[in-house]
Structure formats: structure tokens, C-alpha cells
């Protein structure tokens, strides 16, 4: 069932207002009062759509999750380890704009509320594609891909891995190809 266009417009206003507020200060310094003032909606409207600022933040950053999942699956055929998909490099190039907010929601190692959403969505997509292709160990490899990508992304955003966006895209790409090519464990 499609969402009411008014609901989506209101949520879009709140997401935009949050990103604008977080462009100048950390999430912990943003108040609901300042946010609803910027969005031009009432406080009750905010709470009708979101339980708290963290829920809004994760929703506002959900685009990063969709972009990450799409970027990692933006290739067909045999992947070239030397050339990550342009969408993956573009994804890493886009992150600095709201890096502060992403760091607050995606903790080192890939935890935090955004990390959880990223892991779930990436694991589901990776698993579905492996199962469709008949690749071995879809559950195991999908979990490894999701955990690896979320952890590296978070650590890079937190400055624990030094690399340019193009460099990290290439490194992540080679690592994920290696995971996908790894033979499944012999449980027999």
C-alpha cells in the first residue's frame, strides 16, 4: 500500500531539517524544538512520525544504506578486482558531506543504529543474490560481506583506516571479491 504523500512530505521536511542542523553541530546538540522550527512543523507532528531524534536520524541516513547496498551490487558478469564499480567509488565520495552524523550513528566496527540497518539490508541483498545464483554458503558469505563492509565503512569514517574515497573503494572491492570467491567451509 503506497504511503500517503503528505506523510512522505512531512518526513522529507524533517529529514532535510535534521541534515541541515547536523551540518553545523553534532546530533547530540540538536533539539527537537530547533528541528521542528527549521522543518516548519509542530512538535506533535514530529512525534507522530518518529519516536526520537535517533529514529529520525537513522531514517535520514537510510539513503546511505540504500546507496551502499546498490553500490556493492552495481556490477554484472565477472568482477574485475582492479576496478571497483563506479557506483562504489561515488558512494565513498558522497560520504564526507554528512560524515559527522554518520559517525554518530555508525560506531567503529560497524555497530550503532545505522550499522544495524546497513548490516541487515546488505546481508539480505547479498544472500538473495547468492541464493539466486546457486552460489555456495549464501548465509555465511552474506553475513561476512555485510559485517566486513559495515565494519570497514565505520572504521574509515572514524579515521581508523586512512585512505582516500577512491583508495578505500578499491580496497573494499578487492576484499569483498575475495570473500565471494572463497570456497565454503567443509562441514562434512
Amino acid at each position: 500500500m503506497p504511503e500517503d504523500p503528505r506523510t512522505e512530505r512531512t518526513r522529507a521536511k524533517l529529514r532535510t531539517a535534521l541534515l541541515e542542523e547536523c551540518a553545523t553541530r553534532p546530533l547530540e546538540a540538536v533539539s527537537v524544538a530547533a528541528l521542528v522550527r527549521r522543518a516548519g512543523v509542530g512538535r506533535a507532528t514530529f512525534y507522530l512520525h518518529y519516536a526520537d531524534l535517533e529514529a529520525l536520524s537513522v531514517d535520514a541516513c537510510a539513503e546511505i544504506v540504500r546507496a551502499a547496498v546498490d553500490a556493492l551490487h552495481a556490477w554484472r558478469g565477472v568482477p574485475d578486482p582492479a576496478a571497483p564499480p563506479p557506483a562504489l567509488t561515488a558512494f565513498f565520495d558522497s560520504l564526507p558531506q554528512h560524515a559527522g552524523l554518520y559517525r554518530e550513528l555508525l560506531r567503529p566496527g560497524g555497530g550503532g543504529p545505522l550499522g544495524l540497518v546497513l548490516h541487515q539490508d546488505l546481508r539480505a541483498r547479498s544472500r538473495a543474490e547468492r541464493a539466486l545464483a546457486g552460489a555456495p554458503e549464501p548465509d555465511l558469505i552474506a553475513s561476512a560481506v555485510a559485517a566486513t563492509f559495515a565494519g570497514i565503512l565505520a572504521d574509515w569514517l572514524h579515521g581508523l583506516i586512512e585512505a582516500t574515497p577512491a583508495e578505500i573503494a578499491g580496497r573494499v572491492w578487492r576484499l569483498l571479491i575475495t570473500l565471494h570467491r572463497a570456497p565454503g567451509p567443509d562441514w562434512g
Side-chain angles (χ1 to χ4, degrees):
M1 181 161 126
E3 192 169 302
D4 180 342
R6 294 172 296 178
T7 297
E8 183 47 40
R9 278 193 302 273
T10 301
R11 288 184 178 183
K13 283 182 185 179
L14 289 166
R15 288 190 299 262
T16 299
L18 177 79
L19 293 174
E20 290 170 355
E21 287 287 322
C22 288
T24 60
R25 57 185 158 180
L27 178 61
E28 65 189 25
V30 174
S31 69
V32 172
L35 183 73
V36 297
R37 202 171 24 257
R38 183 181 285 268
V41 301
R43 192 177 186 90
T45 300
F46 171 84
Y47 287 109
L48 179 66
H49 296 284
Y50 297 102
D52 54 28
L53 282 173
E54 184 177 282
L56 169 60
S57 300
V58 171
D59 186 36
C61 295
E63 187 58 35
I64 186 180
V65 171
R66 286 188 290 278
V69 171
D70 289 345
L72 287 173
H73 294 89
W75 59 275
R76 293 292 172 245
V78 178
D80 178 1
L88 184 60
T89 302
F91 166 75
F92 279 102
D93 280 334
S94 73
L95 296 177
Q97 181 180 7
H98 300 295
L101 179 59
Y102 300 148
R103 280 191 294 271
E104 289 186 61
L105 299 171
L106 184 61
R107 296 188 184 87
L114 188 59
L116 178 63
V117 172
L118 176 61
H119 187 275
Q120 289 172 340
D121 287 5
L122 186 54
R123 185 185 185 285
R125 175 96 172 257
S126 183
R127 190 208 178 285
E129 289 193 7
R130 284 189 71 78
L132 185 65
E137 300 286 353
D139 291 319
L140 179 70
I141 300 301
S143 290
V145 164
T148 298
F149 184 78
I152 291 172
L153 173 61
D155 288 355
W156 180 72
L157 283 168
H158 283 275
L160 301 174
I161 299 172
E162 290 193 27
T164 66
E167 290 169 343
I168 198 68
R171 291 175 186 171
V172 164
W173 182 241
R174 287 186 298 278
L175 184 58
L176 294 179
I177 287 173
T178 301
L179 282 173
H180 276 286
R181 289 181 177 165
D186 181 7
W187 301 110

